[in-house]
Amino acid sequence: MFGYANPKKYQKINSVSIMIFTTLAAISLPWGLYMALFLSPPDNLQSETVRIMYVHVPAAWISTMCYASLAVSAFIFLIWKHTLAGLYIRAACTVGASFTAICLVTGSLWGAKMWGTWWVWDARLTSMLILFFLYLGIIALKNAFDDDDNGTTACAWLSIIGSVNLPIIKYSVQWWNTLHQPASITSMERIMNPAISTDFLIPLLIMAIAFTSIFAILVLIRIQNEITRRKIMVKRMQTQNG
Amino acid sequence: MGAFLAILMRDLRSDLRNRAQFVMIPVFYILAVILFPLGIGPETGTLSLIAPGILVVSSLFASLLALEKLFSSDISDGSFESIILCPVPISVIMAGKITAHWILTGLPLALITPFLAIMLGLSFEIALFSSLIILLITIILSLIGAMIASLVINTGKGSVLLALLSFPLFIPVLIFAAGAIDLAIIGGIGNSIAPILFLCSLTSIALPVVPIICAAIIKWQVR
């Protein structure tokens, strides 16, 4: 784990993993989209609108998992000062914010059709909106510091403080009986014996793989950019100082 | 305990010397509450319906306004570094500072709340009850806000950032506090036990944890 704090060593596996995830996304995204848009049947009650689910649900999974991973790497960064964890926090917060925005927008479109309203102040929706603002807060805090390391440390603290929101999002549909339906896919057991039909489940899982790969590609490229940016900064300082 | 009291008394004394600063916060609170009847219209029915929200949201704004002053005066005159160097745990110092901050900014808000609540058309008991709720939430807001304030002290753009970072964390408090007063209006004070317990549990988690987190952040900020 600590060997990869060396950027040279890390960059080697970084480019390899970008390739792996690109291949994975190139296969799963067209396949998943084709299955979701053409092969899977329209839902009994929701008819064609159910297809929004194949974008909405993976985006929601990614946005919460991304925040959880931010909190974990924040711990790693604060305890061991691991450079890579810091780079991950800086790279993932923007990507996570985008996926949260996708989740909110698709959810709103779906709600407009199925619930007859673009937005309700329901527990799940509100807590996702809070998550979005937490992401924005982390991005703002990151940019508020002149020094990169200080900004990353502040972001790490904020992501740990903000992670109290995660269990609230997860259980909001169980604690409060709200308009948003409770989770259908809760554990591995439920995947084997699902609450939703396999006609919907298989495209959903393939789309989840595709979204996760896209998330990974974006984060890895952003980390790569950050390393390059810092190298340029160091080079520039060296030439300026002769 | 001695160090805690020493910091507490020092902060209280130094803040009481420039009164203008902490008189501003309750005045802001009163003005914010007064804006609502003027904006919405003076019908007592409508006003008493949204009074819980008005009171809680305004106290949220007021405590946000107060947060800027939690560390800024000490940092600008340089006394902060020497306080940090005292041979006591920084978490104790933080606990003292947060307590002093709450006494000067949170407590006055709770004390004026009953009058404002009656002006908004709530009954006498509910007015007293909402004052208790404001008392409880200002403690939580001071604690959460202290963490955020300690994060942004070195950025130089405190106020906007402070609002952007604290409001998402204030929202759960807002929901439960307004809910408690709402339930009390509908079915008597005994009706609102659930949100009150939730607020109490938030306070009892935040009370011991926040000074420690603040201390760790401050230690990093003033290396």
Side-chain angles (χ1 to χ4, degrees):
Chain A
M1 172 179 161
F2 291 97
Y4 292 111
N6 177 347
K8 256 200 191 122
K9 225 173 173 183
Y10 170 71
Q11 271 178 314
K12 271 181 205 151
I13 62 157
N14 196 3
S15 44
V16 174
S17 17
I18 288 179
M19 288 226 288
I20 294 172
F21 282 117
T22 312
T23 331
L24 208 58
I27 297 168
S28 58
L29 189 65
W31 183 29
L33 275 178
Y34 181 69
M35 278 190 89
L37 295 181
F38 299 105
L39 290 188
S40 84
D43 186 67
N44 197 4
L45 294 170
Q46 312 194 12
S47 69
E48 301 289 345
T49 33
V50 75
R51 300 190 198 283
I52 295 175
M53 176 183 76
Y54 303 115
V55 176
H56 176 71
V57 173
W61 281 341
I62 299 276
S63 53
T64 43
M65 285 314 292
C66 173
Y67 201 90
S69 69
L70 274 188
V72 171
S73 40
F75 264 110
I76 296 172
F77 180 76
L78 290 177
I79 295 169
W80 291 293
K81 291 268 171 263
H82 197 295
T83 334
L84 200 52
L87 285 174
Y88 178 79
I89 296 173
R90 297 181 73 83
C93 58
T94 321
V95 184
S98 327
F99 275 94
T100 317
I102 292 174
C103 171
L104 285 170
V105 170
T106 52
S108 177
L109 292 172
W110 200 3
K113 193 76 186 157
M114 293 323 301
W115 297 337
T117 167
W118 296 92
W119 184 263
V120 275
W121 292 99
D122 148 293
R124 174 59 68 86
L125 276 67
T126 313
S127 53
M128 278 309 275
L129 192 64
I130 299 177
L131 186 73
F132 182 59
F133 282 113
L134 280 174
Y135 274 124
L136 291 189
I138 294 176
I139 295 170
L141 193 61
K142 182 183 84 173
N143 296 331
F145 283 83
D146 298 327
D147 179 72
D148 281 350
D149 246 16
N150 283 344
T152 314
T153 313
C155 289
W157 278 111
L158 186 65
S159 17
I160 290 175
I161 296 167
S163 62
V164 290
N165 190 31
L166 278 185
I168 300 181
I169 298 176
K170 173 85 178 63
Y171 294 108
S172 57
V173 276
Q174 287 162 31
W175 290 346
W176 294 283
N177 201 357
T178 59
L179 199 53
H180 194 288
Q181 63 152 350
S184 309
I185 299 154
T186 43
S187 63
M188 279 317 277
E189 224 172 292
R190 294 302 292 271
I191 290 180
M192 296 301 144
N193 187 12
I196 63 174
S197 153
T198 46
D199 288 341
F200 299 119
L201 184 67
I202 291 168
L204 182 60
L205 290 181
I206 295 171
M207 283 303 280
I209 293 171
F211 266 66
T212 316
S213 313
I214 293 171
F215 172 76
I217 296 168
L218 290 174
V219 170
L220 290 173
I221 290 177
R222 283 180 63 88
I223 291 178
Q224 183 70 47
N225 287 349
E226 182 82 14
I227 294 174
T228 319
R229 190 179 67 85
R230 286 187 190 182
K231 274 186 179 164
I232 293 171
M233 240 165 62
V234 171
K235 278 273 184 318
R236 191 176 286 161
M237 274 201 295
Q238 280 170 347
T239 48
Q240 270 171 4
N241 300 336
Chain B
M1 199 61 205
F4 173 79
L5 283 178
I7 288 286
L8 178 64
M9 293 316 290
R10 173 206 172 265
D11 269 25
L12 287 181
R13 225 176 287 138
S14 75
D15 279 1
L16 282 172
R17 277 196 194 121
N18 45 4
R19 280 187 199 92
Q21 235 182 25
F22 79 94
V23 171
M24 296 280 276
I25 307 293
V27 171
F28 175 84
Y29 178 53
I30 296 170
L31 280 175
V33 171
I34 286 175
L35 286 182
F36 283 93
L38 299 180
I40 292 160
E43 293 87 8
T44 330
T46 331
L47 273 184
S48 56
L49 206 65
I50 55 169
I54 296 176
L55 291 172
V56 176
V57 170
S58 306
S59 69
L60 216 113
F61 282 133
S63 20
L64 183 77
L65 196 70
L67 274 180
E68 283 177 53
K69 300 192 175 93
L70 179 52
F71 298 117
S72 61
S73 63
D74 277 356
I75 284 180
S76 61
D77 67 6
S79 54
F80 203 62
E81 276 88 349
S82 31
I83 297 173
I84 298 294
L85 286 175
C86 292
V88 286
I90 302 181
S91 52
V92 175
I93 298 173
M94 287 299 128
K97 287 193 81 68
I98 297 169
T99 315
H101 179 258
W102 174 74
I103 292 175
L104 284 175
T105 61
L107 200 58
L109 296 190
L111 293 179
I112 357 174
T113 300
F115 304 106
L116 292 173
I118 288 173
M119 281 169 76
L120 290 173
L122 296 183
S123 71
F124 187 64
E125 293 97 69
I126 300 293
L128 287 179
F129 175 74
S130 51
S131 156
L132 272 179
I133 294 287
I134 299 289
L135 190 76
L136 193 58
I137 67 165
T138 45
I139 299 176
I140 312 174
L141 297 182
S142 287
L143 288 165
I144 300 174
M147 292 195 288
I148 305 297
S150 61
L151 267 181
V152 300
I153 45 177
N154 279 340
T155 56
K157 32 194 139 180
S159 52
V160 184
L161 209 60
L162 208 56
L164 184 60
L165 302 188
S166 345
F167 278 150
L169 297 171
F170 283 176
I171 289 172
V173 181
L174 164 70
I175 292 172
F176 286 104
I181 304 176
D182 259 337
L183 286 176
I185 292 174
I186 296 166
I189 289 163
N191 196 17
S192 59
I193 192 75
I196 292 177
L197 286 179
F198 195 91
L199 288 174
C200 290
S201 68
L202 265 183
T203 321
S204 49
I205 295 168
L207 263 180
V209 173
V210 165
I212 297 171
I213 294 181
C214 275
I217 296 174
I218 290 289
K219 229 184 267 173
W220 157 69
Q221 291 273 29
V222 294
R223 286 154 306 152

CSV table of all heavy atoms in Angstrom, one decimal, chain B residues 72-100:
chain,number,residue,atom,x,y,z
B,72,SER,N,-12.0,34.5,14.9
B,72,SER,CA,-11.3,35.5,14.1
B,72,SER,C,-10.6,36.5,15.0
B,72,SER,O,-9.5,36.9,14.7
B,72,SER,CB,-12.3,36.2,13.2
B,72,SER,OG,-13.3,36.8,13.9
B,73,SER,N,-11.2,37.0,16.1
B,73,SER,CA,-10.6,38.1,16.8
B,73,SER,C,-9.3,37.6,17.5
B,73,SER,O,-8.3,38.3,17.5
B,73,SER,CB,-11.6,38.6,17.9
B,73,SER,OG,-11.9,37.6,18.8
B,74,ASP,N,-9.3,36.4,18.0
B,74,ASP,CA,-8.1,35.9,18.6
B,74,ASP,C,-7.0,35.7,17.6
B,74,ASP,O,-5.8,35.9,17.9
B,74,ASP,CB,-8.4,34.5,19.3
B,74,ASP,CG,-9.0,34.7,20.7
B,74,ASP,OD1,-9.1,35.9,21.1
B,74,ASP,OD2,-9.4,33.7,21.3
B,75,ILE,N,-7.4,35.3,16.4
B,75,ILE,CA,-6.3,35.0,15.4
B,75,ILE,C,-5.8,36.3,14.9
B,75,ILE,O,-4.6,36.5,14.7
B,75,ILE,CB,-6.9,34.2,14.3
B,75,ILE,CG1,-7.0,32.7,14.8
B,75,ILE,CG2,-6.0,34.2,13.0
B,75,ILE,CD1,-7.6,31.8,13.8
B,76,SER,N,-6.7,37.3,14.7
B,76,SER,CA,-6.1,38.6,14.1
B,76,SER,C,-5.2,39.3,15.1
B,76,SER,O,-4.3,40.0,14.7
B,76,SER,CB,-7.3,39.5,13.7
B,76,SER,OG,-8.1,39.8,14.9
B,77,ASP,N,-5.4,39.2,16.4
B,77,ASP,CA,-4.5,39.9,17.3
B,77,ASP,C,-3.4,39.0,17.8
B,77,ASP,O,-2.6,39.4,18.7
B,77,ASP,CB,-5.2,40.6,18.5
B,77,ASP,CG,-5.8,39.6,19.4
B,77,ASP,OD1,-5.6,38.4,19.3
B,77,ASP,OD2,-6.6,40.0,20.4
B,78,GLY,N,-3.3,37.7,17.3
B,78,GLY,CA,-2.2,36.9,17.6
B,78,GLY,C,-2.2,36.2,18.9
B,78,GLY,O,-1.3,35.4,19.3
B,79,SER,N,-3.3,36.4,19.7
B,79,SER,CA,-3.4,35.7,21.0
B,79,SER,C,-3.6,34.2,20.9
B,79,SER,O,-3.4,33.5,21.9
B,79,SER,CB,-4.4,36.4,21.9
B,79,SER,OG,-5.7,36.4,21.3
B,80,PHE,N,-4.1,33.8,19.8
B,80,PHE,CA,-4.5,32.4,19.6
B,80,PHE,C,-3.3,31.5,19.8
B,80,PHE,O,-3.4,30.5,20.5
B,80,PHE,CB,-5.1,32.2,18.2
B,80,PHE,CG,-6.0,31.0,18.1
B,80,PHE,CD1,-7.1,31.0,18.9
B,80,PHE,CD2,-5.7,30.0,17.2
B,80,PHE,CE1,-8.0,29.9,18.8
B,80,PHE,CE2,-6.5,28.9,17.2
B,80,PHE,CZ,-7.7,28.8,17.9
B,81,GLU,N,-2.2,31.9,19.1
B,81,GLU,CA,-1.0,31.0,19.2
B,81,GLU,C,-0.6,30.8,20.7
B,81,GLU,O,-0.2,29.7,21.1
B,81,GLU,CB,0.2,31.6,18.4
B,81,GLU,CG,0.1,31.3,16.9
B,81,GLU,CD,-0.7,32.3,16.2
B,81,GLU,OE1,-1.4,33.1,16.8
B,81,GLU,OE2,-0.6,32.3,14.9
B,82,SER,N,-0.6,31.9,21.5
B,82,SER,CA,-0.1,31.7,22.9
B,82,SER,C,-1.1,30.9,23.7
B,82,SER,O,-0.7,30.2,24.6
B,82,SER,CB,0.1,33.1,23.5
B,82,SER,OG,-0.7,34.0,23.0
B,83,ILE,N,-2.4,31.0,23.3
B,83,ILE,CA,-3.4,30.2,24.1
B,83,ILE,C,-3.1,28.7,23.8
B,83,ILE,O,-3.2,27.8,24.6
B,83,ILE,CB,-4.8,30.6,23.7
B,83,ILE,CG1,-5.1,32.0,24.1
B,83,ILE,CG2,-5.8,29.6,24.4
B,83,ILE,CD1,-6.4,32.5,23.6
B,84,ILE,N,-2.9,28.4,22.5
B,84,ILE,CA,-2.7,27.0,22.1
B,84,ILE,C,-1.4,26.5,22.8
B,84,ILE,O,-1.4,25.3,23.0
B,84,ILE,CB,-2.5,27.0,20.5
B,84,ILE,CG1,-3.7,27.5,19.8
B,84,ILE,CG2,-2.1,25.6,20.1
B,84,ILE,CD1,-4.9,26.6,20.0
B,85,LEU,N,-0.5,27.3,23.1
B,85,LEU,CA,0.8,26.8,23.7
B,85,LEU,C,0.6,26.5,25.2
B,85,LEU,O,1.5,26.0,25.8
B,85,LEU,CB,1.9,27.9,23.5
B,85,LEU,CG,2.5,27.9,22.1
B,85,LEU,CD1,3.5,29.1,22.0
B,85,LEU,CD2,3.1,26.6,21.6
B,86,CYS,N,-0.5,26.8,25.8
B,86,CYS,CA,-0.7,26.5,27.2
B,86,CYS,C,-0.6,25.0,27.4
B,86,CYS,O,-1.0,24.2,26.6
B,86,CYS,CB,-2.1,26.9,27.6
B,86,CYS,SG,-2.4,28.7,27.7
B,87,PRO,N,0.0,24.6,28.6
B,87,PRO,CA,0.2,23.2,28.8
B,87,PRO,C,-1.1,22.4,29.3
B,87,PRO,O,-1.1,21.7,30.2
B,87,PRO,CB,1.2,23.2,30.0
B,87,PRO,CG,1.0,24.5,30.7
B,87,PRO,CD,0.5,25.5,29.7
B,88,VAL,N,-2.2,22.7,28.5
B,88,VAL,CA,-3.4,21.9,28.8
B,88,VAL,C,-3.8,21.3,27.4
B,88,VAL,O,-3.5,21.9,26.4
B,88,VAL,CB,-4.5,22.7,29.4
B,88,VAL,CG1,-4.3,23.0,30.8
B,88,VAL,CG2,-4.7,24.0,28.6
B,89,PRO,N,-4.6,20.3,27.4
B,89,PRO,CA,-5.1,19.7,26.1
B,89,PRO,C,-5.9,20.8,25.3
B,89,PRO,O,-6.6,21.6,25.9
B,89,PRO,CB,-6.0,18.6,26.5
B,89,PRO,CG,-5.7,18.2,27.9
B,89,PRO,CD,-5.1,19.4,28.5
B,90,ILE,N,-5.6,20.9,24.0
B,90,ILE,CA,-6.3,21.9,23.2
B,90,ILE,C,-7.8,21.6,23.2
B,90,ILE,O,-8.6,22.6,23.1
B,90,ILE,CB,-5.7,21.9,21.7
B,90,ILE,CG1,-4.2,22.1,21.8
B,90,ILE,CG2,-6.4,22.9,20.9
B,90,ILE,CD1,-3.5,22.2,20.4
B,91,SER,N,-8.2,20.4,23.3
B,91,SER,CA,-9.6,20.1,23.3
B,91,SER,C,-10.3,20.8,24.5
B,91,SER,O,-11.5,21.3,24.3
B,91,SER,CB,-9.9,18.6,23.4
B,91,SER,OG,-9.2,18.0,24.4
B,92,VAL,N,-9.7,20.9,25.6
B,92,VAL,CA,-10.2,21.6,26.8
B,92,VAL,C,-10.4,23.1,26.4
B,92,VAL,O,-11.4,23.7,26.7
B,92,VAL,CB,-9.4,21.5,28.0
B,92,VAL,CG1,-9.9,22.3,29.2
B,92,VAL,CG2,-9.3,20.0,28.4
B,93,ILE,N,-9.3,23.7,25.8
B,93,ILE,CA,-9.4,25.1,25.4
B,93,ILE,C,-10.6,25.3,24.4
B,93,ILE,O,-11.3,26.2,24.5
B,93,ILE,CB,-8.1,25.5,24.7
B,93,ILE,CG1,-6.9,25.4,25.7
B,93,ILE,CG2,-8.2,26.9,24.1
B,93,ILE,CD1,-5.6,25.6,25.1
B,94,MET,N,-10.7,24.4,23.4
B,94,MET,CA,-11.8,24.5,22.5
B,94,MET,C,-13.1,24.4,23.1
B,94,MET,O,-14.0,25.2,22.8
B,94,MET,CB,-11.7,23.3,21.4
B,94,MET,CG,-10.6,23.5,20.5
B,94,MET,SD,-10.8,25.0,19.5
B,94,MET,CE,-9.2,25.7,19.8
B,95,ALA,N,-13.3,23.5,24.1
B,95,ALA,CA,-14.5,23.3,24.8
B,95,ALA,C,-14.9,24.6,25.5
B,95,ALA,O,-16.0,25.1,25.5
B,95,ALA,CB,-14.5,22.2,25.8
B,96,GLY,N,-13.9,25.3,26.1
B,96,GLY,CA,-14.1,26.5,26.8
B,96,GLY,C,-14.5,27.6,25.8
B,96,GLY,O,-15.5,28.4,26.1
B,97,LYS,N,-13.8,27.7,24.7
B,97,LYS,CA,-14.1,28.7,23.7
B,97,LYS,C,-15.6,28.6,23.2
B,97,LYS,O,-16.3,29.5,23.0
B,97,LYS,CB,-13.1,28.7,22.6
B,97,LYS,CG,-11.8,29.3,22.9
B,97,LYS,CD,-10.9,29.5,21.7
B,97,LYS,CE,-11.3,30.8,21.0
B,97,LYS,NZ,-10.9,32.0,21.8
B,98,ILE,N,-15.9,27.3,22.9
B,98,ILE,CA,-17.2,27.0,22.3
B,98,ILE,C,-18.3,27.4,23.3
B,98,ILE,O,-19.3,28.0,23.0
B,98,ILE,CB,-17.3,25.6,21.8
B,98,ILE,CG1,-16.4,25.3,20.7
B,98,ILE,CG2,-18.8,25.3,21.4
B,98,ILE,CD1,-16.2,23.8,20.4
B,99,THR,N,-18.1,27.0,24.6
B,99,THR,CA,-19.0,27.3,25.7
B,99,THR,C,-19.2,28.8,25.8
B,99,THR,O,-20.4,29.3,25.9
B,99,THR,CB,-18.6,26.7,27.0
B,99,THR,OG1,-18.1,25.4,26.8
B,99,THR,CG2,-19.7,26.7,28.0
B,100,ALA,N,-18.1,29.6,25.8
B,100,ALA,CA,-18.2,31.0,25.9
B,100,ALA,C,-19.0,31.6,24.7
B,100,ALA,O,-19.9,32.5,24.9
B,100,ALA,CB,-16.8,31.6,26.0
